[in-house]
Amino acid sequence: GEGTTKAAANDLRLFDTHTVDSANKTKIKMSVAPVVIFDCDGTLLDTEPAYLEAESAIAREHGGVPLAEFVKVVPRLLGSVPMDCAKLVIEEFKLPITPQQYIDERDERTKNLFPDVGYLPGVERLVEHLIAHNIPFGIATSSARKTFELKMSKRKDWLAKFQVVITGDDVTYGKPHPEIFEKAARALGTEPGPHCVVFEDAPGGVASGKAAGGMKCVGLRNKFTDDSQYHDAKVDVLLNDMTEFVPEDFGLPPYHRL
């Protein structure tokens, strides 16, 4: 009934945007309901240690690269599509392998690790909260779809809660290009804009969300990346993890305080 519609409208803390009606130049007020788009690695799932273990081993075995040297390139790898990661590492350390060999070796080393990685703190609570309030949400991950499916292989019921999944296979350009977030927003039934809330652990991912119509970007720190890199990417808020997220600061219904 009308009461529930009103409650839902209040719940969504609708963003007010103004468009000008060209015929009579009067302002028409439109409300745009929020949607949420999550990166996956280092945002939803704790996969980054598995990637670090695999990729640093490849660099060590093919190029004698010490771990302390390898970690210096990690911030540039975060959020990148597999081919871009491979090319960057090979070029940086002059490894005598092809990008495809690098990707195949990385996949081989990580395939037994990925299914058992844990959720990051605050993730499950926020997902349930979005479901409870009928907020549309999805995933925009640079991973190849087969790699993503491996990570989700033991949590298919949980994955089914997400309305949309866009992977690196679905885009021509990887982050920081905005394509992946633009596609995710449209798949969620809206246009890219500030009513879209993005969660990202990579500065390149934040830059991608910002380039996609000025989406609101929540940065999640990782130990390899300096805070300044998130601020350079114009992050809206930088958190240690998702437990620190305050939904009402981003036009979402507040958590019920217990």
Side-chain angles (χ1 to χ4, degrees):
E2 195 192 332
T4 54
T5 317
K6 270 196 184 137
N10 288 339
D11 233 11
L12 291 178
R13 305 283 166 102
L14 296 178
F15 281 81
D16 292 331
T17 57
H18 293 89
T19 56
V20 178
D21 173 359
S22 51
N24 58 15
K25 296 284 184 281
T26 57
K27 283 191 174 177
I28 301 166
K29 198 169 185 188
M30 293 167 60
S31 293
V32 185
V35 302
V36 176
I37 307 170
F38 296 98
D39 169 52
C40 178
D41 297 300
T43 298
L44 296 174
L45 301 182
D46 193 18
T47 49
E48 299 298 0
Y51 274 120
L52 177 63
E53 187 181 314
E55 298 191 71
S56 62
I58 295 168
R60 184 175 65 248
E61 287 173 23
H62 291 285
V65 181
L67 182 62
E69 284 305 302
F70 185 82
V71 296
K72 292 177 186 172
V73 304
V74 170
R76 287 150 63 200
L77 300 178
L78 294 172
S80 299
V81 292
M83 189 54 75
D84 290 347
C85 287
K87 287 176 177 169
L88 193 153
V89 174
I90 289 167
E91 192 176 317
E92 184 75 23
F93 299 115
K94 311 285 184 277
L95 304 183
I97 54 173
T98 66
Q100 193 56 54
Q101 277 176 284
Y102 181 96
I103 291 168
D104 292 345
E105 214 171 303
R106 180 175 89 160
D107 289 350
E108 185 58 37
R109 287 170 180 274
T110 50
K111 71 179 183 190
N112 297 323
L113 301 172
F114 282 154
D116 296 306
V117 296
Y119 297 106
L120 284 158
V123 166
E124 292 168 283
R125 182 189 187 195
L126 180 54
V127 165
E128 293 310 315
H129 182 66
L130 297 175
I131 293 167
H133 293 279
N134 297 311
I135 311 282
F137 61 97
I139 292 172
T141 176
S142 297
S143 287
R145 190 164 287 272
K146 66 169 187 167
T147 312
F148 174 77
E149 285 173 354
L150 191 61
K151 293 164 190 167
M152 294 292 177
S153 58
K154 292 186 180 178
R155 52 189 120 227
K156 288 188 175 131
D157 291 349
W158 190 71
L159 178 60
K161 297 175 181 188
F162 293 78
Q163 289 96 319
V164 164
V165 175
I166 308 289
T167 70
D169 292 352
D170 302 316
V171 296
T172 307
Y173 303 104
K175 302 171 187 177
H177 191 283
E179 182 184 5
I180 197 163
F181 286 115
E182 291 170 348
K183 282 200 161 156
R186 291 185 180 120
L188 286 166
T190 190
E191 281 299 306
H195 61 290
C196 303
V197 182
V198 166
F199 285 84
E200 264 287 356
D201 72 315
V206 171
S208 174
K210 282 298 177 194
M215 293 184 178
K216 292 274 185 280
C217 292
V218 179
L220 301 164
R221 286 186 177 93
N222 69 71
K223 61 175 181 269
F224 304 109
T225 310
D226 192 72
D227 283 6
S228 65
Q229 293 178 262
Y230 297 98
H231 295 302
D232 289 347
K234 306 285 185 278
V235 74
D236 289 279
V237 65
L238 187 56
L239 310 176
N240 290 311
D241 62 43
M242 227 177 268
T243 62
E244 297 180 350
F245 179 62
V246 181
E248 58 270 35
D249 288 352
F250 288 82
L252 297 166
Y255 285 131
H256 295 296
R257 304 277 170 243
L258 296 173

